[in-house]
Amino acid sequence: MRLPRPHPSPAGIKQDELRRHNLSLLLRYVHLAGPTQRATLTARTGLNRSTIGALAADLASTAGLVREESPDTHSGAGRPSLVVVPETERYQVLAFDLGVDRIVAARVGLGGALLSREVVPLPPGERDLRTVVELTAATARRLAEALPPLTHCVGIGVAVPAVVRSADGFVRFAPNLGWEQQPLGAALRAALVDALPGRAIGGPVGSPVVEVANEADLGALAEHARGVARGHDDIVYLSGQVGLGAGIICGGRPLRGHGGYAGEAGHMIVNPSGQRCRCGARGCWETEIGTDAILRAAGHEPGDGGSVRSVVAEATAGDARARLALYEVSRWLAVGVGNLVNLFNPELVIFGGELRDLLEVVEHDVVGRMGAGGLTVSREHVALVPSALGGDSSLFGAAELAFARLLDDPLGVAATLATAAEV
């Protein structure tokens, strides 16, 4: 795990800024790594032992963000190094993954613990903004009511398959939901003011903290923080459902682009003579490898109960049409993945969503077709891997998004939460 180094404390940096940075450094480490001995924190952060002790004491006694425990085992001379443990039950977030046919919701505790999870189906044909917001708010109310006493809800993170303006969660375009120019972030904030009790607002009274982002970007964030990409700083995460998106991390940092719209790989043109896409263009990548395209190629109609997994099972059992469908998918996967590898030179290309079910059966063909042309130097070290978080990569990414402000300013945000809880 790579973390920012502590500030060297030059004259130009104020002491309170330095302290806030180092508190963030320590809390972020135990949030991602779990319970960690003080000695390990000293070695990994570059801070000295006395500073680690003082910071851990501040996080524990001032805000109750962590607790310190004696280790279960100890070897060697001297007193054992205390273990710093994130307070999972006391600080939680609500996370939502908005899909085309369902909403997945969860409570996630500090440290990344999944405390509850539920799936709320969307009524058939009802994907309008109002319906989705009302169902999300009702689900948030149920989750908040389940919060234990003295628990703080830090905020709410929402993943959506859409082109999202990063500043305020405004959805510019979500073709598979049928949305265009929709104020999702504002609508959720307005609905959640009444949906949540005061202690679960997450910010100043009357202003719930709701963060909305693209689901592929959040899938990449989660896999980098907690999944198969831990320790890898250059990755491409492919989210495959009805549509297709890509979350990209370069040099350990998310690639967002101006306005936050980077990564719309599903609308990369791969076949100019192909099918018309929901975005209006012809031959977009998702028209060749999206779930609907795979189902139709295998003789199914979207909505008839078929899935990518069932197509894979049919192909494995010898069904000729299903095998041909997967052969064509591997062709277009190779084209698109090859383009992304040439552009970003990643260490890993992670197959998420329903693409996970494809990888095992098409990997050989994809790698072979990628090897038939293009830049050898870009693909010589890349690995194609399934997501480690299964279908919940975007859900965990939404949780990380909601925790971000607490991790950036632990004591400041904890004080705000305490004030909100008293009102």
Side-chain angles (χ1 to χ4, degrees):
M1 182 191 309
R2 296 184 185 179
L3 290 173
R5 301 298 294 176
H7 283 310
S9 192
I13 294 186
K14 296 180 180 179
Q15 197 63 31
D16 59 346
E17 181 185 345
L18 176 64
R19 178 169 173 267
R20 183 169 58 249
H21 173 88
N22 288 340
L23 285 164
S24 170
L25 187 72
L26 192 154
L27 184 62
R28 191 179 302 276
Y29 193 96
V30 297
H31 172 65
L32 294 176
T36 307
Q37 284 190 295
R38 280 189 184 184
T40 301
L41 290 168
T42 299
R44 296 294 176 85
T45 66
L47 298 169
N48 62 46
R49 291 173 59 189
S50 61
T51 299
I52 288 292
L55 294 172
D58 277 348
L59 291 172
S61 62
T62 303
L65 286 158
V66 301
R67 64 183 183 275
E68 294 191 276
E69 301 175 345
S70 297
D72 293 334
T73 59
H74 174 61
S75 59
R79 291 193 304 175
S81 176
L82 292 175
V83 178
V84 181
V85 182
E87 286 286 11
T88 294
E89 289 288 339
R90 188 167 183 182
Y91 288 89
Q92 300 180 25
V93 298
L94 307 186
F96 295 88
D97 181 10
L98 308 185
V100 171
D101 57 0
R102 84 291 180 270
I103 298 170
V104 183
R107 284 190 297 116
V108 179
L110 187 66
L114 182 63
L115 302 175
S116 70
R117 180 184 183 278
E118 61 179 279
V119 179
V120 180
L122 285 175
E126 295 190 33
R127 301 171 185 165
D128 59 283
L129 183 72
R130 181 177 178 179
T131 298
V132 171
V133 168
E134 288 177 351
L135 282 173
T136 302
T139 306
R141 185 183 297 113
R142 288 199 304 276
L143 293 176
E145 288 170 351
L147 290 168
L150 304 180
T151 295
H152 296 297
C153 181
V154 176
I156 299 161
V158 180
V160 59
V163 179
V164 181
R165 188 164 64 199
S166 57
D168 58 2
F170 187 89
V171 171
R172 303 298 300 272
F173 189 47
N176 297 311
L177 288 169
W179 296 356
E180 191 167 358
Q181 308 297 339
Q182 295 288 339
L184 176 62
L188 284 171
R189 292 181 193 99
L192 291 169
V193 166
D194 297 327
L196 301 181
R199 67 189 177 89
I201 285 175
V205 175
S207 178
V209 177
V210 181
E211 301 287 350
V212 181
N214 173 269
E215 45 97 24
D217 288 340
L218 294 180
L221 176 66
E223 292 291 340
H224 186 240
R226 304 190 175 280
V228 70
R230 291 186 70 169
H232 300 274
D233 283 344
D234 295 277
I235 69 166
V236 172
Y237 171 85
L238 298 177
S239 174
Q241 302 293 344
V242 174
L244 179 71
I248 300 161
I249 292 179
C250 294
R253 295 179 178 274
L255 180 66
R256 295 283 187 255
H258 183 68
Y261 308 139
E264 289 298 323
H267 299 287
M268 172 173 58
I269 305 298
V270 297
N271 181 14
S273 61
Q275 297 294 316
R276 183 74 66 182
C277 179
R278 290 179 177 89
C279 75
R282 186 177 292 278
C284 291
W285 197 21
E286 74 173 44
T287 66
E288 303 292 348
I289 69 167
T291 299
D292 286 358
I294 296 170
L295 290 175
R296 289 193 177 100
H300 299 279
E301 281 301 319
D304 69 359
S307 65
V308 171
R309 182 172 296 178
S310 65
V311 172
V312 169
E314 290 166 5
T316 302
D319 183 275
R321 190 165 182 178
R323 293 178 67 177
L324 180 60
L326 296 188
Y327 180 79
E328 283 299 301
V329 166
S330 71
R331 171 191 174 194
W332 294 114
L333 269 172
V335 171
V337 171
N339 287 342
L340 293 172
V341 168
N342 286 341
L343 280 171
F344 300 108
N345 187 209
E347 302 166 79
L348 302 177
V349 176
I350 303 166
F351 284 57
E354 293 198 83
L355 291 179
R356 297 187 327 277
D357 300 321
L358 281 178
L359 183 59
E360 184 176 352
V361 293
V362 303
E363 181 180 5
H364 178 77
D365 283 345
V366 171
V367 171
R369 284 169 155 163
M370 285 172 59
L375 297 174
T376 303
V377 67
S378 296
R379 64 174 185 270
E380 59 188 0
H381 298 300
V382 70
L384 310 185
V385 296
S387 65
L389 301 175
D392 284 339
S393 296
S394 296
L395 186 69
F396 278 106
E400 293 301 316
L401 185 67
F403 272 122
R405 71 191 192 99
L406 176 68
L407 299 178
D408 287 342
D409 183 13
L411 298 191
V413 171
T416 300
L417 292 166
T419 300
E422 292 171 359
V423 176

